[in-house]
Amino acid sequence: MTNIGVFDSGLGGLTVLRELYKHTKANYYYFGDTLRVPYGNRPKEEIEKFTYQIVDFLEDFDIDFYVIACNTISVSVLDKLEGKYKKKFFPITKAGLRASEDFKGDFLVLGTKATVESHFYKKNIEKKTHSRVYEVPAIKLVDLIENGQSQGDKIDQALKEYLSLANEKKIENIILACTHYPIIKESIKKNLTYKANIINPASYISDKLTSDLDESRIKIYLSKESRASKKLLAKLIDHPYTIDYVRIGDGD
Ligand code: DGL
């Protein structure tokens, strides 16, 4: 019996969960901190504290290993998690780097403030290739998506700003370095004035996972109930699941 813990700052990680259960049959325990999202603008210490609270909650389910479905958490806390919990944590950022190897040309990393300021993708891709890596913090998108918007004027307006560099330089590849962004992939395409490769790291995350089950079971835990989450779950998760709303930490 393989129990996999999957977590994100909110609903974005559902795009990762979806890729996971499609490729690896296991018992999935997903936690999305929909009460305190976004994490991307928060100080590292706070992201760390919230992440420990999430993992402490998931530890009750006899988890074999974890998938960190959140770029922001991966770049901020990964180093400390394995030491603290003595378990394996697969970060989405590793999948993102693997994904980048399949593409030629320059890259635009679209991510949260924390992800962009870590320069994780830029440092690692530029070390291995001659590609140039540009970075844009797309700070307004997560709130809009968590509030149920995947298209429309507000999303278009924000994307026009965040994609202006890509449109100006015709950057060949765009890495969706935040798990919320695949939800607005169509809007991203619409706001590009040329054809770019839009890379979703989640498509590469299950390469290395193993399990001994024939059927997946999915349990979803969110820290806040909302209409947007119900809509998104119905759109993304085409497998039976149970859902519970729980408070973790001091709910701050
Ligand atoms: N979904 C998260 C990520 O992949 C970040 C969203 C947030 O700012 O909380 O980075």
Side-chain angles (χ1 to χ4, degrees):
M1 213 166 78
T2 305
N3 296 333
I4 305 179
V6 184
F7 56 92
D8 186 73
S9 59
L11 301 172
L14 295 173
T15 62
V16 180
L17 178 67
R18 179 185 158 88
E19 294 299 324
L20 288 169
Y21 72 73
K22 289 211 184 295
H23 295 100
T24 308
K25 308 264 183 275
N27 292 326
Y28 288 101
Y29 295 87
Y30 178 92
F31 187 89
D33 200 358
T34 45
L35 177 68
R36 301 186 293 193
V37 69
Y39 281 16
N41 309 325
R42 294 180 186 268
K44 196 170 172 155
E45 300 69 42
E46 199 168 30
I47 300 173
E48 196 174 306
K49 177 178 147 195
F50 290 177
T51 303
Y52 293 157
Q53 291 169 349
I54 294 175
V55 180
D56 286 344
F57 170 78
L58 290 172
E59 277 289 271
D60 277 350
F61 302 110
D62 203 14
I63 300 294
D64 294 296
F65 60 85
Y66 288 94
V67 172
I68 311 175
C70 179
N71 289 265
T72 303
I73 296 177
S74 300
V75 299
S76 309
V77 201
L78 173 67
D79 292 352
K80 300 196 170 163
L81 286 171
E82 294 195 344
K84 182 168 162 67
Y85 293 97
K86 310 279 177 265
K87 287 195 179 158
K88 186 87 200 129
F89 288 78
F90 291 92
I92 183 76
T93 44
K94 213 172 184 170
L97 276 192
R98 256 204 322 279
S100 71
E101 289 165 10
D102 281 356
F103 297 88
K104 294 218 162 21
D106 292 341
F107 292 85
L108 173 76
V109 175
L110 212 55
T112 64
K113 183 168 175 281
T115 299
V116 164
E117 285 179 357
S118 78
H119 304 300
F120 173 87
Y121 286 102
K122 184 173 171 65
K123 277 193 278 197
N124 282 290
I125 296 173
E126 288 187 347
K127 198 160 66 190
K128 283 208 209 143
T129 65
H130 296 296
S131 302
R132 184 104 199 252
V133 181
Y134 302 90
E135 303 169 295
V136 171
I139 50 179
K140 292 180 211 148
L141 293 179
V142 171
D143 266 340
L144 291 172
I145 297 165
E146 287 279 333
N147 287 323
Q149 302 199 31
S150 58
Q151 55 188 27
D153 287 353
K154 283 193 181 147
I155 292 267
D156 285 343
Q157 222 171 37
L159 283 174
K160 279 202 173 56
E161 178 189 336
Y162 301 140
L163 295 173
S164 65
L165 185 70
N167 282 331
E168 182 198 316
K169 296 192 178 295
K170 308 267 180 287
I171 301 171
E172 287 89 344
N173 308 296
I174 298 181
I175 302 183
L176 304 183
C178 171
T179 50
H180 285 74
Y181 304 164
I183 296 166
I184 55 163
K185 189 172 171 189
E186 289 312 310
S187 296
I188 292 175
K189 274 195 206 155
K190 191 183 118 189
N191 283 284
L192 283 171
T193 55
Y194 67 104
K195 197 168 165 357
N197 300 312
I198 299 179
I199 304 171
N200 177 7
S203 319
Y204 288 71
I205 191 114
S206 45
D207 282 9
K208 296 228 159 61
L209 303 182
T210 49
S211 168
D212 51 9
L213 295 187
D214 308 325
E215 196 47 60
S216 286
R217 275 197 303 161
I218 302 176
K219 285 183 179 289
I220 293 174
Y221 297 92
L222 301 178
S223 49
K224 186 180 142 196
E225 192 171 357
S226 69
R227 274 213 357 246
S229 64
K230 287 184 184 136
K231 216 171 100 190
L232 207 61
L233 277 160
K235 189 167 150 193
L236 289 177
I237 307 299
D238 55 356
H239 187 284
Y241 60 86
T242 62
I243 183 153
D244 285 290
Y245 300 96
V246 292
R247 281 288 178 101
I248 57 165
D250 32 26
D252 42 359

